[in-house]
Amino acid sequence: MRMATADPRPMLGVVRHAAWSDVGAWATLHTGSVGDARGSSGEGSFTVLEFLGDYNSAWATNTGVFGAWNDVRDASDCPAIDVWRQSVVDGSPLPQPAPQLDCPDNFGASSIYGGWYTP
């Protein structure tokens, strides 16, 4: 657990595979693009959190897997939100910034990425 909001939080989606016959041998089928998790956000009072979503899923068949993940490659960090989040962690909350006024246009621009992958 980090107690400071100043450092980037690299995040990327990865789809991995292991055959039933060799469970310990994992292979990477896809590696996404790196983004900064600080650029994600919940709505309203949840802006204090980096919302990384609950969309990380995989559906497998005998021929492959569809993997889906929350992705922040297109999101930008908002320094005003970082300062505010840190003030909340420190126990002395500052007034909450207005993301639509105080942040880059793509702050909060997390997306769902996914694809079909075969081993």
Side-chain angles (χ1 to χ4, degrees):
M1 174 187 213
R2 293 185 182 191
M3 295 305 291
T5 61
D7 297 329
R9 293 189 215 322
M11 177 182 155
L12 70 145
V14 177
V15 178
R16 304 198 72 206
H17 168 269
W20 285 108
S21 59
D22 192 8
V23 175
W26 287 89
T28 299
L29 302 178
H30 173 79
T31 301
S33 299
V34 176
D36 187 340
R38 295 176 304 163
S40 66
S41 177
E43 295 181 23
S45 61
F46 294 109
T47 305
V48 72
L49 305 172
E50 294 167 3
F51 180 73
L52 302 179
D54 51 0
Y55 306 106
N56 302 311
S57 301
W59 302 270
T61 70
N62 290 334
T63 59
V65 62
F66 179 83
W69 59 92
N70 196 343
D71 194 293
V72 293
R73 71 180 74 180
D74 300 320
S76 287
D77 178 43
C78 176
I81 293 290
D82 291 342
V83 169
W84 175 67
R85 286 174 173 165
Q86 188 65 54
S87 74
V88 172
V89 169
D90 293 342
S92 300
L94 297 170
Q96 182 175 344
Q100 65 277 29
L101 301 174
D102 300 325
C103 298
D105 288 342
N106 57 343
F107 172 71
S110 59
S111 301
I112 305 301
Y113 277 76
W116 178 256
Y117 305 96
T118 55

